[in-house]
Amino acid sequence: MVLLTVFTPAYNRAHTLPRTYESLREQDCKDFIWLIVDDGSTDETVDMVKRWKKEENGFEIQYIYKENGGMHTAHNTAYANIHTELNVCIDSDDKMAPGAVRKIKQIWEKVRENDYAGLIALDADFSGNLIGKGFPNGMQETTLSGYYASGGSGDKKLIYRTDVINSVPPYPVFPGEKYVGLVYKYTLVDQKYKLCVLNDVICEVEYQADGSTGTMWKQYLQNPRGFAFLRKVAMQYPTSRKRLIRECIHYCSSSQITKNKNYIRESPKKLLTVLCTPMGWILTRVIKMKAK
């Protein structure tokens, strides 16, 4: 049985998806399936995939088309259709690093019996520079939240056991909105499992100007219910007092944008929410200004 599913959510990325494909063709271990979840693309994505499926790639290509609903809904679709032991997301504007599948397989065969949720590895840019910080010397296992709480930074590549990632609820869908942070599921997994550290670059990334990272202020304004939901979860599992206050201020702001009059009653930290409400109004002003 194939070990790994590499899944790629794609929305109008026909201009960048070919480099993702080429990076998979160049892997020296082909023990994976490539699952493309097309989130309602209107460009040439489907035609390219049809051509690739006819080529001798050394791996199976699966393709699912769905109506556009945002990254988190594409992840829901992927997880519902993955049947391999492990899975990893490689975005449609990124590349899988040389030898990545082999490295994943080698370490997983050594730690499979240790009941890890999966692996946590490094991202780098196309010039080889690490995204954020690496792992501290001697770190062999961690949770995602634990890594950041200990001073870590930057996106990390997460390779999850499929049974574990599917053991927590899917991302919620809010009508009219298209964003819920992917960290929601990762936070829930963190409460039960640790990740084995793979101190190597698995993914090479390039952030797009129209991607979620580059449009975050607008995302706050356009998807307030999704953000309020995410902040409530974060407030239930805070990694520090400072982080808790930050999440609460954002929760107040998102709730104010949605005009939710019951946000204090619905908060898991009611007194703190009352105290953070004025800062929430200030943040709301900043968001509206930045989103213009």
Side-chain angles (χ1 to χ4, degrees):
M1 184 177 178
V2 176
L3 174 67
L4 175 71
T5 294
V6 177
F7 71 94
T8 301
Y11 176 65
N12 288 341
R13 283 286 188 258
H15 58 294
T16 61
L17 195 59
R19 67 191 184 197
T20 309
Y21 172 59
E22 288 302 322
S23 75
L24 296 176
R25 289 191 67 183
E26 293 170 1
Q27 292 297 309
D28 56 10
C29 173
K30 299 295 178 66
D31 194 6
F32 67 91
I33 294 168
W34 188 26
L35 170 61
I36 302 160
V37 180
D38 188 337
D39 190 33
S41 295
T42 57
D43 59 8
E44 300 80 30
T45 295
V46 63
D47 296 323
M48 288 195 312
V49 174
K50 287 179 179 178
R51 293 197 303 270
W52 294 339
K53 292 181 74 170
K54 296 176 181 179
E55 296 177 1
E56 292 295 331
N57 309 302
F59 56 90
E60 179 184 353
I61 299 177
Q62 299 176 350
Y63 175 84
I64 299 174
Y65 181 90
K66 60 180 286 296
E67 291 186 5
N68 180 250
M71 177 73 77
H72 65 299
T73 65
H75 276 243
N76 281 344
T77 298
Y79 292 139
N81 288 276
I82 292 173
H83 305 290
T84 55
E85 184 177 0
L86 299 178
N87 66 82
V88 61
C89 177
I90 301 294
D91 287 334
S92 56
D93 47 7
D94 296 341
K95 298 186 291 186
M96 201 156 197
V101 176
R102 170 176 47 80
K103 294 171 184 177
I104 291 170
K105 183 174 182 178
Q106 286 175 343
I107 191 171
W108 188 247
E109 289 177 345
K110 295 178 181 178
V111 304
R112 176 185 273 128
E113 304 305 320
N114 294 350
D115 200 32
Y116 287 121
L119 310 172
I120 181 171
L122 299 171
D123 282 354
D125 63 23
F126 286 0
S127 297
N129 303 304
L130 289 185
I131 303 299
K133 296 181 180 179
F135 299 114
N137 290 334
M139 178 179 279
Q140 297 182 344
E141 61 180 29
T142 185
T143 60
L144 181 63
S145 56
Y147 165 75
Y148 291 124
S150 65
S153 65
D155 288 340
K156 295 295 169 281
K157 189 48 57 184
L158 302 170
I159 303 101
Y160 277 111
R161 277 171 40 196
T162 301
D163 64 327
V164 168
I165 201 67
N166 280 330
S167 70
V168 298
Y171 297 103
V173 178
F174 297 96
E177 297 190 11
K178 295 184 179 180
Y179 185 93
V180 172
L182 300 179
V183 73
Y184 162 62
K185 284 175 75 79
Y186 309 156
T187 298
L188 297 185
V189 170
D190 275 357
Q191 310 314 307
K192 297 181 180 180
Y193 298 91
K194 289 187 175 182
L195 294 158
C196 178
V197 172
L198 171 54
N199 194 16
D200 220 323
V201 173
I202 295 301
C203 183
E204 299 174 354
V205 307
E206 180 181 73
Y207 297 113
Q208 302 295 309
D210 61 344
S212 60
T213 302
T215 60
M216 191 51 67
W217 293 108
K218 289 184 179 180
Q219 299 277 13
Y220 288 150
L221 199 58
Q222 294 170 354
N223 306 282
R225 285 179 292 175
F227 275 103
F229 167 83
L230 191 64
R231 304 304 182 181
K232 282 200 295 184
V233 173
M235 289 162 64
Q236 294 176 59
Y237 306 106
T239 56
S240 69
R241 180 67 178 175
K242 180 180 179 181
R243 187 75 185 186
L244 173 59
I245 294 172
R246 180 180 181 275
E247 299 291 358
C248 190
I249 293 171
H250 273 272
Y251 169 70
C252 292
S253 174
S254 295
S255 300
Q256 291 157 2
I257 292 171
T258 64
K259 296 181 171 56
N260 178 11
K261 297 180 179 179
N262 299 316
Y263 74 99
I264 294 176
R265 185 174 63 190
E266 295 172 0
S267 170
K269 304 289 183 181
K270 295 177 177 56
L271 177 58
L272 183 62
T273 301
V274 171
L275 297 175
C276 289
T277 289
M279 291 300 296
W281 284 115
I282 293 173
L283 178 58
T284 298
R285 287 186 180 182
V286 173
I287 288 171
K288 290 181 178 179
M289 180 179 64
K290 295 282 190 178
K292 289 183 179 178

